[in-house]
Amino acid sequence: MDLLDKRESAVDVVTRRRAWPVLLTALVLTVLSGLLLPGSAAAEGTSSESTVYANVVTGGDGTRTPDIVSTSANNAVVAWREGLRPGNVDMGYIRYSYTTDGGANWSRPQMLAQETSAFAWHYVILYKSGSELFAFMGRTPIADTDDDDGNENADDGINHNGLPINDTVVKRSTDEGHSWQTYPATFPAIPNMVFAGHPLKWTNPANPDDVRHVMPYWASQRENGVLTSKDMKTWTKAGSVANGNADTVKAGENQIALSQSGTPANELVMVARSKDDYAMKSTSSNGGASWSPFERDTSLPSADTSKAYFTKDSNGQYLYIYNYPVRSANPPDPAYRDVLYYKTKRRDGSWSAPKSFADGTEPEVDSPGTTGEGWDTYAMADEYAPGKFFVVWEYDTSRIKVNRLDISDAS
């Protein structure tokens, strides 16, 4: 902040006939006023991009689908899936890195969940509850029981696509993500259950003492629903959206937030990636026990690219970060994940026009560890102050990046 912040300087009111002590006093007051009075509001947009991790050596091993959670403006942790071998997708081991200086520097990557000869990991999702951090991870077997997994060597007895997902494992950190320990938790048996969005706390408007954690999931047959828990240890299945697998819907990688409307109180909103050109939206007025059918939201582009991040910030404003084809109008050309945009919506307002978030340069020469397409994809975010977010995403399947996004003054 400029200590002499475009306000009238005390020097301007000192005449030439004033004595030097008066001038000195005026200068001191000017400096103090710059320290004590607030400066102008920060402009909306991004700042402080950094690279958490880079790997341009090993063969392509699928997108890393990173996630991020913060405990302050200086402290955050990123976790991601690191692939096992070329040709495998959606499976690997889980690594993490943390920052203590607001993202300028990141720790050496450490192991959160190692693969073994028996199993690997499909995903990781992070969550903050009070002073504790939690990592939810979906486990998948190494041995392949399905000869049709989309790989040219499908009959080699090795899992190539991270399915089935046969267990959910949780780890907890009590030191802002610097170290993690296994946390016992139980989950319902839902085929191929994936957590792709952050959970949230929901308070029953009829009983303020009834506070639950609500976790979005999607599973086989495009089942999009939520789990609930009061203690983070025992999770039970609540409701799901009836038409998630309809031909015109094909929803997945769902995210949830509290409604802006407040009517009914504490209504939940679910937004999901869709086969349609636009995302699908559903609502629940009873904490996720039941959901309205999915309907397309023509304000939220989807185009069936990768998952989009959706949340409501502390100021009551919606944030939506998403991929959309720019250099290719006909997916599945790989270039359709090349650009990340975001949109915002103030309470009682309309969604903003698309705003640029990330568009990395396409590499001129392919390296063994990249797609060579310059993808910016799989964004996730976490709010560290009202309207201010850490955002993580993967660039070119070779680098995990983080940037700050300030929407506190968005319009």
Side-chain angles (χ1 to χ4, degrees):
M1 179 178 65
D2 188 353
L3 298 182
L4 305 177
D5 187 20
K6 294 185 179 180
R7 55 177 63 91
E8 185 181 11
S9 171
V11 177
D12 294 336
V13 299
V14 178
T15 67
R16 295 180 180 178
R17 290 175 293 180
R18 293 278 189 177
W20 172 250
V22 177
L23 176 58
L24 181 60
T25 300
L27 287 171
V28 171
L29 290 174
T30 300
V31 172
L32 289 175
S33 69
L35 290 170
L36 298 175
L37 294 177
S40 58
E44 179 196 353
T46 58
S47 62
S48 306
E49 180 178 311
S50 61
T51 296
V52 177
Y53 169 78
N55 184 347
V56 295
V57 177
T58 59
D61 47 23
T63 51
R64 292 179 172 87
T65 60
D67 195 16
I68 191 166
V69 68
S70 62
T71 56
S72 70
N74 287 323
N75 293 275
V77 58
V78 169
W80 66 91
R81 175 185 64 222
E82 189 71 13
L84 297 178
R85 63 183 68 87
N88 285 46
V89 295
D90 295 343
M91 61 185 298
Y93 52 96
I94 307 298
R95 304 178 82 179
Y96 73 97
S97 179
Y98 59 84
T99 181
T100 58
D101 58 9
N105 297 282
W106 293 87
S107 70
R108 177 182 59 82
Q110 300 181 54
M111 192 66 67
L112 184 59
Q114 178 70 59
E115 89 283 2
T116 70
S117 60
F119 58 79
W121 304 92
H122 186 104
Y123 66 82
V124 57
I125 285 291
L126 302 174
Y127 178 49
K128 178 177 62 181
S129 179
S131 61
E132 299 175 318
L133 302 181
F134 294 86
F136 297 83
M137 299 173 290
R139 202 173 74 179
T140 185
I142 292 292
D144 185 15
T145 58
D146 183 2
D147 289 339
D148 184 20
D149 63 5
N151 186 274
E152 61 182 4
N153 299 315
D155 59 352
D156 60 5
I158 297 175
N159 187 352
H160 291 279
N161 66 355
L163 295 175
I165 299 169
N166 58 15
D167 197 8
T168 304
V169 175
V170 182
K171 290 197 174 184
R172 178 181 65 171
S173 174
T174 57
D175 59 3
E176 299 188 283
H178 294 201
S179 64
W180 298 82
Q181 297 78 41
T182 299
Y183 185 80
T186 59
F187 296 86
I190 300 175
N192 295 319
M193 182 173 65
V194 176
F195 299 156
H198 291 159
L200 55 76
K201 286 184 180 179
W202 178 84
T203 301
N204 188 341
N207 179 10
D209 294 327
D210 180 10
V211 180
R212 308 174 195 175
H213 305 275
V214 183
M215 167 74 83
Y217 75 87
W218 71 299
S220 294
Q221 302 302 310
R222 299 282 177 166
E223 180 180 330
N224 289 257
V226 296
L227 309 180
T228 62
S229 175
K230 291 187 177 182
D231 60 5
M232 292 290 293
K233 293 184 177 181
T234 302
W235 292 84
T236 59
K237 183 178 179 179
S240 59
V241 185
N243 64 337
N245 200 34
D247 288 341
T248 56
V249 176
K250 299 297 183 185
E253 296 180 313
N254 50 344
Q255 315 269 313
I256 58 173
L258 291 172
S259 171
Q260 285 183 324
S261 67
T263 306
N266 288 350
E267 180 182 64
L268 291 170
V269 178
M270 180 185 295
V271 170
R273 166 186 175 177
S274 170
K275 183 180 179 181
D276 193 272
D277 287 340
Y278 298 98
M280 293 292 157
K281 184 170 72 175
S282 174
T283 59
S284 173
S285 61
N286 52 17
S290 62
W291 292 86
S292 66
F294 274 128
E295 294 184 356
R296 67 202 305 250
D297 188 326
T298 56
S299 296
L300 304 179
S302 175
D304 199 24
T305 53
S306 67
K307 74 174 177 180
Y309 176 76
F310 171 72
T311 194
K312 187 178 77 168
D313 71 12
S314 300
N315 296 322
Q317 183 172 215
Y318 284 154
L319 170 64
Y320 183 68
I321 308 175
Y322 63 100
N323 272 123
Y324 202 72
V326 173
R327 290 185 272 276
S328 170
N330 297 300
D333 185 320
Y336 72 163
R337 292 182 178 181
D338 53 0
V339 179
L340 280 169
Y341 292 98
Y342 73 97
K343 300 181 74 171
T344 57
K345 181 182 179 298
R346 289 187 178 275
R347 193 190 305 272
D348 300 323
S350 57
W351 281 98
S352 70
K355 306 172 186 182
S356 176
F357 178 80
D359 182 11
T361 303
E362 182 175 349
E364 294 182 3
V365 179
D366 290 358
S367 67
T370 76
T371 65
E373 300 292 347
W375 286 6
D376 291 281
T377 190
Y378 280 100
M380 289 291 287
D382 194 49
E383 186 182 28
Y384 64 85
K388 299 180 179 182
F389 291 81
F390 285 111
V391 183
V392 66
W393 75 102
E394 186 177 36
Y395 165 67
D396 205 47
T397 67
S398 66
R399 293 168 179 82
I400 293 173
K401 293 188 174 185
V402 166
N403 207 341
R404 291 175 184 260
L405 176 63
D406 186 347
I407 63 168
S408 59
D409 194 34
S411 59

